């Protein structure tokens, strides 16, 4: 029966489309990783600019000018109009080289004739500073969030992101990605169970001399295997591609773990995999229960949509209120950082999910029989 | 003759609405039974209860002696059904659909080949059923229903969507099944002419109740008595135990006689009351007349 259901499942263009979407999305994660490296470099650069600018503000302008080799050098070789021309050619950075003009020169520039040069320069500086402030705020927010999830301080990044397998895996398990994969799995799973009711094939199917729970069980098993297959393909293909581009890499990143060791890396990967499995199991159990009860694709989709909204809200709640849902891996969508989730709670939720699946299968025997399936003719 | 279906006191409620009320009837071996009634009478609900697609609120349904609720799998193994629209998997080809259901029923390959021949779908067998016409779907669904050599075949509106040639084929197939393979068939249809051509007898249902014992619908129980219309006659008809129904048309009364009664009983009453009649003729009644007698009168 399982073989038959799997054959049916893989024959559906919709489900093949789901697998394709998952693969495309996972490759998009890989692509994002490449983008992140650029972003990271820029962020680091701007951070240095900011430090430099703040330091400069604290110093006496003249003293600074004397102390800064670039400006000193500029003073030595160029007059201020020459420096202004260099600035126009992109020689100077408005933040790091804020005071390329000395106090005297500024006084000169204050005069009407040169006012526009000073204004242009100040405008450029203000724009760059605002951009910096915005980036700083985002950076700070992200660091605080990660520090909270890790439970320890994050050292400043000193290794740039590279496209390699381990970096890809870390990114794969981040919250929005896992969420998207779960939604895609839900989409395929609902179709498997409710399609019989939508296209009337439930009539010949459920009048077979076979117990209904056996039919539903084979469907659930097929859905579970399909989900595992799709996720595995979505993980493996880009991992191999990443290994080909930049090697396997390591997990030795301060944003992931404090003190790297083989055991910590193993623990991290194992927990991520287990949490992902629990999420898949629980999602399928909810889908089975909803699909068997509603027996209508559209209604089931809407119910599952609500479930995902609740799931997302719960994950947000966990982020905002520490210890509220600390031990519940189900709501920790951002599995990459749930290193603190206990193995016991993962086991507990696996058991809960299995219990819900068994309950759905058992209920199908009665629910499908007693339900109003007579249509309008009754 | 062996009793294939035995339904006693079948009731079905959807919420507070009682859709079936005390439905009882039997179907015997080799019989083709027409199941007739207007829309919403409860035909499909009865058939779905017989297939265990819905659960009876009260009463018992036995298929070849097996209770459909208590011995569901054994009872379902003896029957096949085609309820309303043909339910097929649209993503699979016709052949894959047959193989899918055959695997569930553990049907040997030789039987599958036999059914494929019987369906005569040609190249259509290798196309996805989503692209089938309704007629092709009906043929395929019928083939699937016949995979397990059932003792009982339940067909709800099987001629829907079939072209005249398809209807003709189906009629012959059903007759062959009943005669050669000894399959009992319960068939519902609004195409009364078609039913008349294949049915041995009819079961009539209205508002969830069986309104007529099947044997009362035999053609030889209808007579036309040429006489004047009088109140005395009508009063007598209403009191007479042997009269099922009567109407006045073409200068006389058309009388349907109840089961186990004879027209002589009524004539004897006329004699006793000294009521005169001019002529009496046995009326060859067709199903459409019967239908109008039962439901429109």
């Amino acid at each position: 029966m399982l073989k038959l259901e799997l054959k049916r499942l893989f024959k559906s263009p919709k489900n093949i489309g789901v697998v394709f979407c998952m693969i495309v999305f996972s490759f998009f994660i890989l692509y994002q990783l490449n983008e992140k490296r650029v972003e990271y470099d820029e962020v680091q650069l701007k951070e240095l600019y900011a430090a430099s600018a703040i330091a400069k503000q604290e110093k006496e302008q003249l003293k600074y000018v004397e102390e800064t080799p670039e400006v000193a050098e500029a003073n030595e070789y160029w007059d201020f109009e020459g420096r202004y021309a260099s600035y126009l050619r992109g020689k100077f950075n408005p933040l790091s080289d804020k005071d390329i003009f000395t106090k005297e020169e500024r006084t000169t520039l204050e005069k009407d004739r040169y006012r526009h040069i000073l204004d242009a320069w100040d405008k450029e500086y203000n724009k760059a500073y605002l951009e910096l402030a915005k980036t700083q705020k985002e950076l700070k927010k992200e660091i605080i969030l990660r520090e909270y999830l890790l439970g320890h301080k994050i050292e400043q990044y000193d290794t740039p992101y590279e496209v390699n397998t381990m970096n890809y895996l870390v990114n794969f398990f981040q919250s929005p990605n896992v969420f998207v994969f779960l939604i895609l799995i839900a989409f395929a799973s609902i179709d498997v169970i409710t399609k019989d009711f939508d296209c009337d094939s439930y009539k010949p199917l459920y009048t077979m001399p076979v117990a209904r729970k056996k039919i539903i069980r084979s469907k659930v098993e097929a859905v579970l295997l399909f989900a595992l297959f799709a996720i595995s393909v979505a993980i493996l293909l880009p991992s191999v591609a990443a290994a080909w581009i930049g090697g396997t890499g390591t997990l030795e990143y301060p944003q992931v773990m404090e003190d790297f060791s083989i055991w910590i890396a193993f623990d991290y990967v194992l927990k991520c995999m287990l949490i992902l499995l629990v999420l898949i199991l629980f999602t399928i159990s909810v889908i089975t229960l909803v699909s068997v009860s509603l027996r209508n694709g559209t209604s089931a989709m809407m119910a599952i949509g609500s479930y995902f909204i609740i799931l997302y809200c719960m994950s947000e709640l966990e982020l905002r209120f520490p210890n509220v849902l600390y031990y519940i891996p189900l709501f920790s969508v951002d599995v990459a950082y749930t290193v603190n989730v206990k193995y016991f709670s993962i086991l507990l939720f696996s058991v809960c999910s299995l219990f819900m699946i068994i309950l759905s299968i058992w209920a199908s025997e009665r629910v499908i029989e007693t339900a109003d399936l007579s249509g309008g003719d009754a | 003759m062996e009793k294939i279906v035995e339904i006693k006191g079948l009731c079905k409620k959807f919420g507070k609405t009682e859709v079936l009320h005390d439905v009882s009837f039997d179907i015997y071996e080799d019989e083709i039974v027409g199941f007739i009634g207007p829309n919403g009478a409860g035909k499909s609900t009865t058939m779905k209860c017989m297939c265990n697609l819905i659960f009876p609120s009260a009463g018992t349904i036995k298929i070849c002696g097996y209770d459909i609720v208590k011995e569901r799998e054994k009872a379902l193994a003896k029957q096949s059904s085609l309820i309303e629209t043909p339910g097929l998997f649209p993503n699979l080809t016709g052949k894959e659909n047959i193989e899918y259901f055959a695997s569930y029923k553990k049907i040997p390959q030789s039987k599958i080949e036999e059914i494929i021949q019987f369906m005569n779908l040609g190249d259509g067998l290798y196309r996805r059923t989503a692209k089938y016409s309704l007629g092709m779907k009906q043929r395929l669904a019928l083939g699937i229903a016949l995979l397990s050599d059932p003792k009982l075949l339940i067909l709800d509106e099987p001629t829907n969507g079939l072209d005249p040639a398809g209807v003709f084929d189906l009629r012959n197939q059903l007759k062959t099944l009943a005669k050669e393979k000894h399959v009992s068939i319960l068939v519902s249809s609004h195409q009364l002419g078609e039913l008349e051509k294949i049915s041995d007898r009819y079961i009539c249902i209205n508002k969830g109740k069986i309104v007529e014992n099947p044997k009362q619908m035999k053609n030889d129980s209808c007579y036309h008595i040429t006489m004047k219309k009088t109140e005395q006659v009508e009063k007598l008809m209403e009191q007479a135990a042997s009269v099922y129904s009567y109407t006045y048309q073409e200068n006389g009364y058309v009388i349907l006689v109840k089961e186990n009664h004879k027209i002589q009983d009524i004539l004897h009453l006329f004699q006793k009351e000294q009521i005169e009649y001019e002529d009496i003729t046995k009326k060859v009644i067709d199903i459409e007349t019967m239908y109008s007698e039962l439901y429109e009168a």
Side-chain angles (χ1 to χ4, degrees), chain B residues 105-282:
Chain B
K105 292 179 177 179
K106 291 171 187 162
I107 307 293
Q109 191 61 34
S110 56
K111 181 69 187 171
I112 296 174
E113 295 299 326
E114 187 191 318
I115 291 294
I116 287 172
Q117 292 284 321
F118 173 80
M119 287 186 303
N120 195 23
L121 282 169
D123 291 343
L125 201 64
Y126 303 97
R127 287 210 310 266
R128 284 174 60 220
T129 55
K131 293 177 179 173
Y132 276 23
S133 68
L134 189 55
M136 285 172 84
K137 283 182 185 170
Q138 285 282 22
R139 274 168 195 254
L140 182 59
L142 185 66
I144 289 167
L146 294 174
L147 272 171
S148 55
D149 283 329
K151 292 288 281 177
L152 170 72
L153 188 59
I154 299 168
L155 304 171
D156 191 8
E157 313 279 357
T159 49
N160 272 1
L162 290 183
D163 57 15
V167 173
F168 181 75
D169 272 358
L170 179 72
R171 190 200 305 156
N172 288 341
Q173 283 169 359
L174 294 183
K175 279 182 176 174
T176 310
L177 281 171
K179 275 184 189 171
E180 293 176 9
K181 300 201 172 181
H182 308 290
V183 178
S184 304
I185 302 169
L186 177 68
V187 54
S188 88
S189 177
H190 291 299
Q191 293 184 19
L192 299 176
E194 274 310 313
L195 270 188
E196 190 173 30
K197 283 172 191 156
I198 55 169
S199 302
D200 298 319
R201 64 183 176 97
Y202 308 103
I203 294 169
C204 307
I205 190 166
N206 195 18
K207 292 175 186 171
K209 292 175 187 171
I210 297 291
V211 291
E212 184 63 279
N213 188 300
K215 287 184 181 174
Q216 289 170 347
M217 298 300 289
K218 283 182 180 175
N219 292 347
D220 61 356
S221 63
C222 187
Y223 294 86
H224 183 265
I225 303 172
T226 312
M227 61 195 298
K228 283 179 184 174
K229 190 180 179 183
T230 61
E231 272 187 25
Q232 189 194 2
V233 173
E234 287 184 6
K235 202 174 177 183
L236 191 71
M237 297 275 201
E238 273 163 25
Q239 287 169 350
S242 51
V243 174
Y244 175 72
S245 74
Y246 68 93
T247 50
Y248 191 82
Q249 49 183 261
E250 294 167 16
N251 301 320
Y253 285 99
V254 175
I255 299 168
L256 264 174
V257 182
K258 276 187 185 172
E259 192 189 5
N260 301 329
H261 289 82
K262 288 177 179 175
I263 190 67
Q264 281 76 6
D265 299 341
I266 299 161
L267 299 179
H268 182 69
L269 276 172
F270 284 174
Q271 258 184 347
K272 202 176 166 184
E273 296 291 327
Q274 293 178 335
I275 297 168
E276 288 183 355
Y277 60 92
E278 289 171 26
D279 191 19
I280 179 162
T281 50
K282 196 164 88 173

Side-chain angles (χ1 to χ4, degrees), chain B residues 35-166:
Chain B
F35 198 25
I36 58 173
N39 286 334
K43 299 188 296 296
S44 296
T45 308
T46 308
M47 287 176 151
K48 281 175 183 173
C49 284
M50 288 172 76
C51 301
N52 199 232
L53 274 175
I54 51 176
F55 204 83
S57 304
T60 57
I61 301 170
K62 284 185 177 174
I63 314 286
C64 296
Y66 297 114
D67 191 295
I68 195 77
V69 178
K70 291 173 188 165
E71 298 159 294
R72 179 179 174 270
E73 273 117 75
K74 283 180 183 171
L76 287 177
K78 298 286 179 188
Q79 66 160 57
S80 279
S81 56
L82 174 53
I83 305 288
E84 293 163 344
T85 49
L88 301 165
F89 301 118
N91 296 322
L92 302 185
T93 64
K95 193 161 190 276
E96 285 169 340
N97 264 284
I98 297 171
E99 284 168 350
Y100 180 90
F101 289 106
S103 313
Y104 265 110
K105 292 179 177 179
K106 291 171 187 162
I107 307 293
Q109 191 61 34
S110 56
K111 181 69 187 171
I112 296 174
E113 295 299 326
E114 187 191 318
I115 291 294
I116 287 172
Q117 292 284 321
F118 173 80
M119 287 186 303
N120 195 23
L121 282 169
D123 291 343
L125 201 64
Y126 303 97
R127 287 210 310 266
R128 284 174 60 220
T129 55
K131 293 177 179 173
Y132 276 23
S133 68
L134 189 55
M136 285 172 84
K137 283 182 185 170
Q138 285 282 22
R139 274 168 195 254
L140 182 59
L142 185 66
I144 289 167
L146 294 174
L147 272 171
S148 55
D149 283 329
K151 292 288 281 177
L152 170 72
L153 188 59
I154 299 168
L155 304 171
D156 191 8
E157 313 279 357
T159 49
N160 272 1
L162 290 183
D163 57 15

Side-chain angles (χ1 to χ4, degrees), chain A residues 108-121:
Chain A
T108 316
L109 287 168
E110 291 287 338
K111 292 175 186 172
D112 292 343
R113 192 178 145 210
Y114 297 107
R115 180 77 227 174
H116 68 280
I117 298 174
L118 198 62
D119 284 349
W121 174 252

Side-chain angles (χ1 to χ4, degrees), chain A residues 303-359:
Chain A
I304 294 294
S306 313
Y307 160 72
F308 276 114
I309 290 168
I310 293 168
L311 194 67
Y312 185 75
C313 292
M314 294 298 266
S315 69
E316 287 292 307
L317 191 72
E318 190 194 40
L319 292 179
R320 275 157 183 72
F321 301 99
N323 304 325
V324 170
L325 299 163
Y326 192 70
Y327 289 96
I328 307 178
L330 180 68
F331 303 119
S332 306
V333 180
D334 206 346
V335 284
Y337 302 109
T338 50
V339 186
N340 287 325
V341 167
K342 303 285 180 278
Y343 279 105
F344 174 74
S345 55
I346 295 173
L347 183 74
L348 194 71
F349 266 82
S350 307
V351 172
C352 284
S353 308
L354 285 173
F355 175 74
M356 272 178 70
I357 290 176
I358 292 165
L359 181 77

Side-chain angles (χ1 to χ4, degrees), chain A residues 286-311:
Chain A
V286 172
I287 287 162
T288 313
L289 203 62
V290 166
S291 304
V292 165
S293 315
L294 298 175
R295 298 179 302 283
N296 177 294
T298 317
S299 312
M301 284 281 182
M302 288 174 78
I304 294 294
S306 313
Y307 160 72
F308 276 114
I309 290 168
I310 293 168
L311 194 67

